[in-house]
Amino acid sequence: MPDPAVATSDLPVVNADGCIEKDVSAADDPMSACVYGAAGAARRAVLVGDSHAAQYSTPLIGAADRAAWSMQVMVRNGCPFTAIGPNDGGGPVASCSDQNLRLRDLILAERPALVVTSALSERGYARDLGWTWSSPEEMARGYQQMWQPLVDAGIPLVVVADTPLPAPASVPECVEQNGPSSDRCTTSRLDGTGDGPDPLVLAARGMEGVRVVDPTDRVCTGDTCPAVVGNVLVYRDNHLTDTYARSLTGFLAETVGIS
């Protein structure tokens, strides 16, 4: 059985080196901050968003390296790449708004070959952080407002839909207590994806020039989303373990377009 204690510390590369919390736009040399992949590459991709974007950093960096691209990572915990921030119960959470605008300006100046973004779903923010938007449509509008200048500039934008939200609060703890094949640790596809649209997907559907990649079929099989696949824990909390995320490298490279 996979070791749950290992799973909880199975983190992406940007957590290990601090780029998960680095404001690239405020760096002394923003163009070289948190850049990975092939040195001196002719093509660069940018990954931007919150920790659910960051969970794809290791496989995307691997894909970029193999394709002789560079990858600049612009991520921060709790900062979806949106112009409309959430409410935490005491008022609007505005800490990321200015940073997002600065990052957008940096991307516009850099004109990368590709921008990839992802984020925890609205229901995930509500359940696990207590942060809310007035509706999925409001969150989607915030994404569109942030993305539109990139689209207008002709920069390709790919949205990776959020992964299904696991039902157990802690999948590793559930597996430790009940075993890797226990139904208690398995999430139904319907429960994991919810009964409404992911605001990321909702926003992308309303815009020309934005593509959507949906990883759900890589996390769920049939009607269920198992806790363990191939003796690898899928989730460390509401995030994928880095080991499982690395198994998506080929899928992401092909569907995102890093080749």
Side-chain angles (χ1 to χ4, degrees):
M1 184 178 81
D3 185 346
V6 172
T8 57
S9 59
D10 191 0
L11 304 171
V13 62
V14 295
N15 289 65
D17 65 13
C19 277
I20 187 70
E21 290 291 356
K22 187 176 182 65
D23 182 357
V24 169
S25 67
D28 292 338
D29 182 6
M31 303 293 276
S32 62
C34 296
V35 176
Y36 308 83
R43 290 178 294 179
R44 173 173 290 191
V46 169
L47 175 65
V48 62
D50 64 8
S51 61
H52 272 230
Q55 71 180 349
Y56 298 116
S57 59
T58 304
L60 286 173
I61 290 166
D65 193 44
R66 284 200 286 270
W69 288 45
S70 65
M71 168 72 66
Q72 186 164 28
V73 180
M74 304 177 178
V75 293
R76 180 177 166 188
N77 285 325
C79 284
F81 192 51
T82 175
I84 301 176
N87 190 302
D88 67 356
V93 178
S95 59
C96 296
S97 300
D98 289 345
Q99 179 176 320
N100 280 339
L101 290 171
R102 291 194 302 270
L103 291 175
R104 186 177 69 184
D105 288 345
L106 182 62
I107 293 169
L108 287 168
E110 190 172 327
R111 298 190 66 83
L114 176 69
V115 172
V116 182
T117 190
S118 190
L120 179 62
S121 65
E122 179 203 24
R123 57 195 287 269
Y125 269 108
R127 189 192 78 172
D128 293 350
L129 279 82
W131 293 6
T132 60
W133 285 257
S134 64
S135 67
E137 289 76 18
E138 181 190 45
M139 194 177 189
R141 284 195 301 274
Y143 286 131
Q144 290 177 333
Q145 290 171 23
M146 190 59 65
W147 301 346
Q148 191 65 58
L150 305 182
V151 173
D152 290 344
I155 299 171
L157 177 63
V158 175
V159 170
V160 182
D162 194 23
T163 43
L165 193 64
S170 172
V171 172
E173 184 177 323
C174 183
V175 169
E176 183 176 38
Q177 293 175 351
N178 300 285
S181 59
S182 172
D183 289 343
R184 294 182 180 182
C185 307
T186 297
T187 303
S188 75
R189 181 186 285 252
L190 181 60
D191 287 343
T193 56
D195 56 3
D198 180 347
L200 280 168
V201 177
L202 188 63
R205 285 175 182 165
M207 296 182 69
E208 295 288 337
V210 180
R211 290 195 299 110
V212 175
V213 169
D214 189 347
T216 302
D217 286 343
R218 301 289 167 150
V219 177
C220 304
T221 57
D223 295 330
T224 62
C225 308
V228 176
V229 173
N231 205 39
V232 174
L233 273 159
V234 178
Y235 290 96
R236 53 185 167 88
D237 41 34
N238 61 39
H239 303 83
L240 300 178
T241 62
D242 197 53
T243 300
Y244 196 78
R246 290 198 305 271
S247 75
L248 305 180
T249 300
F251 165 76
L252 289 170
E254 178 179 359
T255 55
V256 166
I258 298 177
S259 60

